[in-house]
Amino acid sequence: MRLYLGILASWLALTRIATSVHTLKHRQSNETDYQIADGPLMTKWTETVGTNPWPEYPRPRLQRPNWKNLNGVWRYRNTVKGSDASPPFGERLEEAVLVPFCLESALSAGVGGTRRIWSWYQTSFDVPSSWPIGNKVLLNFGAVDYEATIFVNGQKAGSHVGGYFEFSIDVTDYLSASGTNELLVYTYDPTDMDDIQIPIGKQTLSRGGMIWYTPCSGIWQTVWLESTPPEYISKLDLTADMDGKVVMTVHSSTDSTDIPYGITVHELGSTDAKATANGTSGIPFTFNVPSPELWTPDSPTLYNITIKYGSDTIQSYTGFRTVSRGLVGNIQRPLLNGKFVFPFGTLDQGYWPDGIYTPPSVEAMRYDLEVLKSVGYNMVRKHIKVEPALFYRACDEMGLLVIQDMPSLRPDLPVPGGGCGIIRLDPKAQFEFDRQLMLMVEQLKSYPSIFTWTIYNEEWGQATSPPWPEYRLTEMVRRSDPTRLIIAVSGWTDHGAGDYDDNHHYSTPQCGTPFWSRQGGGYDSAYDTSRIGIQGEFGGLGTRVEFEHSWFKDWDEQTAYELANSTAVWNYRAHDLLVQLRDQVELFACSGGVWTQTTDVQGEVNGMMTYDREIVRMDVQMWKEDIRALYDAAARRTNESLATVCTESEGV
């Protein structure tokens, strides 16, 4: 107690952290009329974005050498419903827009507001003359929210539905012989307009309250071209376990099931082959790598993989690890490589004041993860959002476990005839939710860092009467990916499906405990001993911040589940909650926790950092010690269990 009174006193003397304030200035390119728009808040990366953002190769698990980034300044027009029937071919659209930033963001050029529901994008491109003649040209999108229709040189080339998922279109047959090609993209993003119910996470056009945020419309991840042979690898599924077993499926663009391919596994930074093998496309192929170094949060070892499929050569990577669950001392635990690992991380929402859904740069995106890793967090819960592929690569490299949420349906729909919203599921929404859930799993299931899927969050879009869909969806996810654990319902209403009993309780934890709590309009049951106990959300402590670091310039709009008067008191209160969680590890069946949250988000001021990432609230030494104490408590429970097993074995 004396120690923390001392910490409290020191923090009371330092309630204002000195930071550099980045003043926003309009920047105009010599070549375009693009400029950053005025916005409520910026970051230290805003002014470094330039007009060629996100230049990195965007798909680290399936890389090819011949590619061209199309990010940059495009043209834009806000439009009306149904206008995709009359594409503006050959016109110069009125406004500049920076791709790949949400239309509502300052970095996009601020063409936004919050109702960019129907939009046209326009740009032009040429195909590099160095690319092999006779190859195909693919046009790739990291993500477009929500529906996208693609036109190349006056012809419709393809379309896609789903705001979080990558897609590719073969545009070879639409290319111009003259070399210059016109690209138009029509987007439709209703968010939560009228009674529409689609996967949107926390985006909203008009809903009040602290947990709903500015929507992200249009192109919000990298757009790029690539050159491929006529038959090429369209998808790669890859898992590698703790015993060195690799299971790989190479999917062909022509759905061929009899084309041989060669595999070479390298250690990072080495050209020496650690293992080689040969498989056949379209079916799972298994081979073994001798004595691999395992992937763990403390030692996130990765291996490069080269695959040669006919004339197509791709680069990929993997990490060797096994995720499972099992009894440790008669308590269900999450296991990594056969050992109980205590996953402890933050609710990571991935919102940015300047880019909304899109970080200003890879450097900025990695900064958040580096801050978390620096105090000992070994996990993030990616909360009802899917990130760019380079986010998961960063987690793979840093050793951060990922609980990956499915982006939720909106939790309420207007009452017929008017009135407040009620929690109910539009029956038409279930099919699309199911389809996009599987898109998410299929897109992300080969990243080593992801160890758990979450299907539903706090009843949002979850059916309110039997048959409970989470049972069916849990089995559907399990069939697609049997290598990970599943949270069927994070928070409430939990009907017993999945691997976890997941409790949300602000501000105090109730993790794996034999008592009840009132939350979410009803009672959560006491811990279900047949599943893993995890504190899916807790904390939510905040402090109000000076307006130069705040999205809202009104004190009353800075909110949290609990507010402290200073950063010092915030740390004191956080220590109290972390000690409570440690007690629940030591006394009960707590097997992991998620602290709310990584950063402030718009009106929520309860982050490890402010929304602009300028102020880190954490007393770093205290947080390091408290997080380490959680891991130590979990290790003691494991050691006690092993000692009991040994004693019982000797007795037999």
Side-chain angles (χ1 to χ4, degrees), residues 62-78:
L62 205 164
Q63 298 189 55
R64 291 189 175 90
N66 293 322
W67 73 289
K68 181 177 182 178
N69 197 318
L70 296 187
N71 292 344
V73 179
W74 294 28
R75 307 303 300 176
Y76 173 80
R77 174 182 294 171
N78 189 32

Side-chain angles (χ1 to χ4, degrees), residues 39 64 84 327 362 429 436 602 621 639:
R64 291 189 175 90
D84 63 330
L327 285 171
V362 171
Q436 293 190 33
Q602 299 192 4
Q621 188 59 37
N639 293 335

Side-chain angles (χ1 to χ4, degrees), residues 371-391:
V371 169
L372 299 179
K373 189 73 177 178
S374 71
V375 295
Y377 281 117
N378 64 6
M379 179 266 284
V380 293
R381 178 184 171 196
K382 179 41 61 181
H383 190 42
I384 53 180
K385 180 193 177 191
V386 176
E387 291 286 0
L390 290 172
F391 173 89

Side-chain angles (χ1 to χ4, degrees), residues 298-320:
D298 293 332
S299 181
T301 303
L302 299 173
Y303 289 85
N304 285 334
I305 294 178
T306 301
I307 301 174
K308 293 186 177 182
Y309 173 82
S311 300
D312 195 17
T313 299
I314 67 161
Q315 301 294 326
S316 189
Y317 73 93
T318 194
F320 290 83

Side-chain angles (χ1 to χ4, degrees), residues 26-93:
H26 283 308
R27 176 185 62 244
Q28 184 163 330
S29 165
N30 294 328
E31 302 174 356
T32 73
D33 54 350
Y34 165 74
Q35 59 185 16
I36 300 172
D38 290 321
L41 189 66
M42 299 298 162
T43 70
K44 61 186 176 184
W45 298 278
T46 307
E47 286 291 325
T48 67
V49 169
T51 54
N52 294 294
W54 283 74
E56 299 84 1
Y57 190 90
R59 192 182 55 204
R61 287 201 53 262
L62 205 164
Q63 298 189 55
R64 291 189 175 90
N66 293 322
W67 73 289
K68 181 177 182 178
N69 197 318
L70 296 187
N71 292 344
V73 179
W74 294 28
R75 307 303 300 176
Y76 173 80
R77 174 182 294 171
N78 189 32
T79 185
V80 296
K81 183 177 181 180
S83 67
D84 63 330
S86 301
F89 300 131
E91 301 178 30
R92 186 178 189 269
L93 303 189

Side-chain angles (χ1 to χ4, degrees), residues 262-266 271-277 287 304-308:
I263 309 157
T264 306
V265 180
H266 303 266
T271 58
D272 296 334
K274 184 169 179 62
T276 60
F287 66 97
N304 285 334
I305 294 178
T306 301
I307 301 174
K308 293 186 177 182

